[in-house]
């Protein structure tokens, strides 16, 4: 996994505030996060041998996050300690229905470079799969994808946070996994049901992504592979 490592600052609220509004929340917690680190821990918990490449600061958050990843079974050898930046943080509000808003201060994540990727090239080229997202610089992600593709390593792109991507990047993804918002930004199609999700998936497929999986929240997900669209129902969670 090449990507972000954040400390999430989570506050629960009865509802999300309107612009300029102050409301009283309830529980507050600091939770290890970052889209990249979350992917690494999830893969490790599923039994994979996982190496994580990223950056943290010299602060307490950075030390805590590296320790948490290690305890979760993730190899942290290639997590660099950046003396010139704070560890990334995300401020998250979660309402009683589980909806959230997130603001990220990238910190050291913004300093992950193509040169960092090169230092881990031996691990990347021998991997079964490379997973990336967009919380570190796009040039770094593209470099990692190209390195993996040249070595015939399966590439998985989670295009979040949402941003426009050129076909030069999309063609490097064996599997792309956007949500509705990200799929809409990438394709210009408003994704709000199965039909629009399939239309967006076919556009991404034609742009170069071999397999497209669009996550649809409470609807589940739509997968497109070998020109066949599959609707995947959700399972209930509390």
């Amino acid at each position: 996994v090449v990507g972000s490592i954040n400390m999430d600052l989570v506050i629960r609220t009865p509802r999300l505030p309107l612009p300029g509004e102050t409301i009283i929340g309830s529980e507050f917690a600091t939770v290890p996060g970052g889209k990249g680190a979350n992917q690494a821990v999830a893969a490790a918990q599923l039994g994979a041998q996982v190496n994580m490449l990223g950056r943290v600061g010299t602060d307490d958050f950075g030390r805590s996050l590296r320790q948490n990843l290690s305890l979760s079974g993730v190899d942290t050898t290639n997590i660099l300690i950046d003396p010139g930046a704070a560890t990334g943080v995300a401020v998250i509000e979660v309402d009683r229905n589980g909806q959230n808003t997130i603001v990220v201060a990238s910190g050291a994540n913004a300093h992950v470079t193509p040169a960092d990727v090169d230092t881990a090239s031996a691990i990347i080229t021998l991997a079964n799969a490379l997973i990336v997202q967009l919380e570190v610089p796009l040039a770094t992600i593209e470099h990692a994808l190209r390195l993996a593709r040249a070595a015939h390593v399966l590439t998985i792109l989670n295009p979040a946070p949402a941003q426009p991507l050129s076909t030069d990047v999309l063609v490097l993804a064996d599997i792309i996994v956007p949500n509705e918002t990200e799929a809409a930004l990438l394709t210009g199609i408003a994704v709000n049901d199965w039909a629009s999700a399939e239309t967006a998936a076919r556009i991404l497929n034609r742009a170069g992504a071999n397999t497209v999986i669009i996550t649809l929240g409470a609807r589940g997900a739509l997968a497109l592979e070998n020109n066949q669209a599959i609707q995947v129902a959700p399972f209930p969670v509390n």
Side-chain angles (χ1 to χ4, degrees), residues 7-33:
M7 185 62 81
D8 293 347
L9 311 179
V10 183
I11 185 167
R12 294 197 171 269
T13 71
R15 60 178 176 80
L16 301 178
L18 300 172
E21 181 185 22
T22 299
I23 63 176
I24 301 299
S26 53
E27 298 93 349
F28 171 78
T30 55
V31 182

Side-chain angles (χ1 to χ4, degrees), residues 3-7 33 37 52-67 69 76 78-88 106-112:
S4 56
I5 307 167
N6 291 331
M7 185 62 81
M52 174 90 205
L53 187 153
R55 287 188 180 229
V56 296
T58 60
D59 46 42
D60 289 341
F61 283 164
R63 286 187 289 275
S64 176
L65 289 168
R66 290 180 82 246
Q67 181 182 36
L69 283 163
T76 61
N78 290 289
I79 296 178
L80 305 176
I81 299 173
D82 191 327
T87 299
S106 297
N109 294 308
H111 295 185
V112 181

Side-chain angles (χ1 to χ4, degrees), residues 18-213:
L18 300 172
E21 181 185 22
T22 299
I23 63 176
I24 301 299
S26 53
E27 298 93 349
F28 171 78
T30 55
V31 182
K35 295 183 186 299
N38 287 345
Q39 291 168 343
V41 170
Q45 290 181 346
L46 289 168
Q49 180 181 343
V50 184
N51 288 268
M52 174 90 205
L53 187 153
R55 287 188 180 229
V56 296
T58 60
D59 46 42
D60 289 341
F61 283 164
R63 286 187 289 275
S64 176
L65 289 168
R66 290 180 82 246
Q67 181 182 36
N68 179 74
L69 283 163
S70 183
L71 290 173
S72 298
V74 176
D75 189 323
T76 61
T77 303
N78 290 289
I79 296 178
L80 305 176
I81 299 173
D82 191 327
T87 299
V89 297
V91 178
I92 304 174
E93 300 166 329
V94 185
D95 73 12
R96 61 165 62 97
N97 296 314
Q99 292 296 322
N100 62 42
T101 61
I102 305 175
V103 179
V104 177
S106 297
N109 294 308
H111 295 185
V112 181
T113 66
D116 294 345
V117 172
D118 288 336
T119 64
S121 61
I123 292 173
I124 292 172
T125 56
L126 292 174
N128 297 111
L130 169 74
I131 306 178
V132 295
Q133 5 58 48
L134 303 178
E135 284 189 329
V136 299
L138 183 57
T140 302
I141 293 305
E142 184 173 355
H143 186 66
L145 289 169
R146 290 189 185 282
L147 182 66
R149 175 57 63 84
H152 306 289
V153 173
L154 179 74
T155 55
I156 304 170
L157 169 62
N158 173 216
Q163 64 176 276
L165 295 175
S166 70
T167 55
D168 290 343
V169 175
L170 294 175
V171 298
L172 298 173
D174 292 311
I175 303 172
I176 186 169
V177 190
N179 65 14
E180 304 105 313
T181 303
E182 294 144 10
L185 180 65
L186 291 171
T187 64
I189 300 294
V191 176
N192 48 35
D193 55 22
W194 293 112
S196 56
E198 182 174 343
T199 300
R202 293 190 181 281
I203 291 172
L204 289 170
N205 180 250
R206 289 195 297 270
N210 290 338
T211 299
V212 182
I213 302 169

